[in-house]
Amino acid sequence: MLRLIHGGRWAALAACGRNGPIAAQVAYATEPGLASILLLLSLLAAHTRALLENPRAALSIGEPDDGRHDPQTLRRLTLTGRVVVVDRDDGHCGTAAKRYLNRFPAARQLFEFSDFMLLRLFIAEARYVGGLGVARTLSADTLQALENEE
């Protein structure tokens, strides 16, 4: 499960929009201890505006489709929680931005645009499906304990 989170870079983000659910593909970076996930999003995007209105969100990370006969056997994980804006004036913003840029160096120019903002998804729960009949729900504390064991 942890390899799935740390091994990926691209996931589906789900938010609660004014007119119903909204989803988008986003790049993500993990933070130490796996308490949160960093997202760099534009205010021009409907999903970003939805998150600012209602911070509840889900991030779905899936094993790449390898063409197998039954895609239901692919591993997947959904992290749910609340999103907060990482304030550019906050002393921790630089650390978070550096972590994101270590993962995505090409995003450096996006930090210079006023419409882009760094957001932090604080994980409340993780739902893991390891294939047919293999599923479990973990609290944030359990997920962080697994992370700290490695």
Side-chain angles (χ1 to χ4, degrees):
M1 172 182 358
L2 295 176
R3 273 187 256 133
L4 191 60
I5 297 170
H6 293 298
R9 302 180 321 148
W10 195 240
L13 173 71
C16 303
R18 281 187 182 177
N19 298 318
I22 187 167
Q25 294 294 125
V26 298
Y28 71 91
T30 60
E31 289 201 278
L34 208 52
S36 55
I37 302 285
L38 294 170
L39 309 168
L40 183 62
L41 304 177
S42 170
L43 277 169
L44 300 176
H47 56 273
T48 306
R49 294 190 306 273
L51 288 172
L52 295 176
E53 289 181 18
N54 182 344
R56 294 179 303 153
L59 190 71
S60 181
I61 304 164
E63 186 175 22
D65 187 348
D66 57 9
R68 68 182 68 176
H69 176 70
D70 185 359
Q72 293 286 343
T73 62
L74 292 167
R75 296 176 306 129
R76 55 232 186 243
L77 173 81
T78 300
L79 304 171
T80 58
R82 298 184 72 76
V83 172
V84 298
V85 176
V86 178
D87 187 349
R88 288 180 188 239
D89 297 328
D90 181 346
H92 297 292
C93 181
T95 304
K98 189 174 188 178
R99 183 152 190 91
Y100 190 89
L101 287 170
N102 281 340
R103 185 84 186 235
F104 301 104
R108 183 167 305 284
Q109 68 184 14
L110 299 178
F111 278 91
E112 297 173 15
F113 298 140
S114 61
D115 65 297
F116 273 85
M117 60 179 50
L118 194 60
L119 295 113
R120 182 175 277 131
L121 170 65
F122 285 101
I123 300 168
E125 187 175 84
R127 177 71 179 159
Y128 174 72
V129 179
L132 289 173
V134 180
R136 64 184 185 172
T137 300
L138 297 96
S139 69
D141 291 339
T142 302
L143 185 65
Q144 290 170 26
L146 287 172
E147 173 78 357
N148 292 329
E149 286 176 7
E150 295 225 346

